[in-house]
Amino acid sequence: MSRPTRFEHNQYVGDKRNRIVHDLDAATDACAIDELMASEQFAAFGPDSLAEARNRGYRPHPACTGQVGGGAPAVASRTGEESDSDQ
Ligand SMILES: [Zn+2]
């Protein structure tokens, strides 16, 4: 799947309809990025990071981000959530 032209400088794009954030570097058919672009209900983040997306209340899409989407979104700080994934 090719990266949407208007997001060529962004890695992450959010879907305002369901508050899901996708990683364009790893987007799959399940992400329906083309459909999202057509809907124009997408959001860019600044800084362009998953942490920023989560701060804004978006949940990472498991299929492309590799993150578990369940649970409450992390707020403000990522410290603590990496404790069991690093070692
Ligand atoms: Zn996705």
Side-chain angles (χ1 to χ4, degrees):
M1 182 174 287
S2 62
R3 178 176 295 221
T5 304
R6 72 181 88 188
F7 276 94
E8 64 182 327
H9 298 301
N10 289 71
Q11 181 175 1
Y12 297 103
V13 57
D15 186 333
K16 294 178 180 177
R17 298 166 299 181
N18 54 16
R19 308 290 279 185
I20 296 287
V21 56
H22 301 279
D23 180 349
L24 292 176
D25 282 348
T28 71
D29 287 347
C31 300
I33 297 298
D34 290 343
E35 192 278 329
L36 174 57
M37 291 297 124
S39 76
E40 300 191 336
Q41 295 299 305
F42 48 80
F45 306 102
D48 182 30
S49 70
L50 203 53
E52 176 62 18
R54 293 172 86 127
N55 286 345
R56 295 231 225 145
Y58 284 79
R59 291 176 296 128
H61 188 216
C64 57
T65 64
Q67 304 283 313
V68 176
V75 177
S77 173
R78 298 185 65 199
T79 56
E81 78 174 23
E82 296 177 356
S83 58
D84 62 355
S85 62
D86 206 21
Q87 297 183 15

